[in-house]
Amino acid sequence: MPRTAKKQAAAGCTRERILDAAVALFNEQRYGNVTTAMLAKAAGLSEGNLWYHFREKRALLDAISERFLVQCAERVAIVPKRDGVLAQYADYLHILAKEMRDFQFMYRDQADYGEHSAVLLAKLPTIYRDTIGQFRQFLDAMRLEKHLNLPRDRVEPLAANIALVLRFYMEFAREAGYPAVSADEQIAQSFASHLSMLQGALTPQAFAFLQKRLEAA
């Protein structure tokens, strides 16, 4: 491998190591509590070498947002297939839970970093529209399979409310001063809140199925 190519490959590996360390620290400590010294130590670098790759903390946020968008694109591409919608919905929520866990600081710490990165801001309207559309498709499929007793005109607002709860629950819990718990516990709480919105419309059997699948996860 030519010397230049080797240097570029090494720089790419270092960059990814920094991003891995940053995501882990931001998730664990909260974005606003993480210092450059903490980042450098976690990545096994000097602070000077860290900022050679990322000039400022916001640059890390920009790069992490690009990672988030890749994972998010895979998630929003999911649509319900015919038959077995309850199991498919539970599987979809497990995928969403992984996204929330992997990027929990982005679901929780906007108060620390202010506006999202430009690349994420440009995509957010589409992400929100597609996510609400996903929930609408799952709810419609549940209606067709007789798991959900809900008038058609209530599907869209319910889909929007589900998306709101799952997107902002972590942020709300932090700002409301709820006791600090693990990301898994917060995700479980957000899913329980979303199930409570469905409880009156789902058949008892469908509600029990989803509750059991989500608790098991």
Side-chain angles (χ1 to χ4, degrees), residues 76-86 88-89 92 133-142 145:
V76 298
I78 297 169
V79 295
K81 300 177 177 65
R82 293 189 61 179
D83 301 325
V85 65
L86 292 179
Q88 293 175 51
Y89 187 59
Y92 169 77
Q134 277 184 310
F135 284 116
R136 183 179 64 245
Q137 289 181 71
F138 275 110
L139 294 174
D140 278 334
M142 289 180 204
E145 291 188 14

Side-chain angles (χ1 to χ4, degrees), residues 28-150:
E28 180 183 349
Q29 303 290 339
R30 295 184 177 178
Y31 181 92
N33 294 333
V34 175
T35 65
T36 58
M38 292 166 66
L39 285 165
K41 182 178 179 180
L45 301 169
S46 67
E47 288 189 61
N49 199 8
L50 173 71
W51 299 123
Y52 170 79
H53 293 276
F54 294 96
R55 296 284 182 144
E56 56 184 2
K57 202 171 172 184
R58 286 287 307 191
L60 284 165
L61 182 64
D62 292 345
I64 292 168
S65 295
E66 292 176 357
R67 282 187 172 189
F68 170 78
L69 287 172
V70 171
Q71 189 164 324
C72 188
E74 296 174 357
R75 192 258 305 164
V76 298
I78 297 169
V79 295
K81 300 177 177 65
R82 293 189 61 179
D83 301 325
V85 65
L86 292 179
Q88 293 175 51
Y89 187 59
D91 290 342
Y92 169 77
L93 291 177
H94 293 164
I95 292 168
L96 177 57
K98 184 178 187 306
E99 177 183 303
M100 296 168 70
R101 188 182 302 111
D102 289 348
F103 299 96
Q104 62 186 273
F105 83 94
M106 296 177 69
Y107 277 85
R108 182 194 62 209
D109 296 344
Q110 191 175 355
D112 289 352
Y113 60 77
E115 196 169 69
H116 291 303
S117 67
V119 65
L120 180 54
L121 280 174
K123 297 287 187 180
L124 274 179
T126 301
I127 292 171
Y128 287 145
R129 184 196 66 218
D130 290 348
T131 299
I132 293 170
Q134 277 184 310
F135 284 116
R136 183 179 64 245
Q137 289 181 71
F138 275 110
L139 294 174
D140 278 334
M142 289 180 204
R143 290 176 71 247
L144 288 173
E145 291 188 14
K146 308 300 183 184
H147 301 301
L148 188 70
N149 181 20
L150 193 71

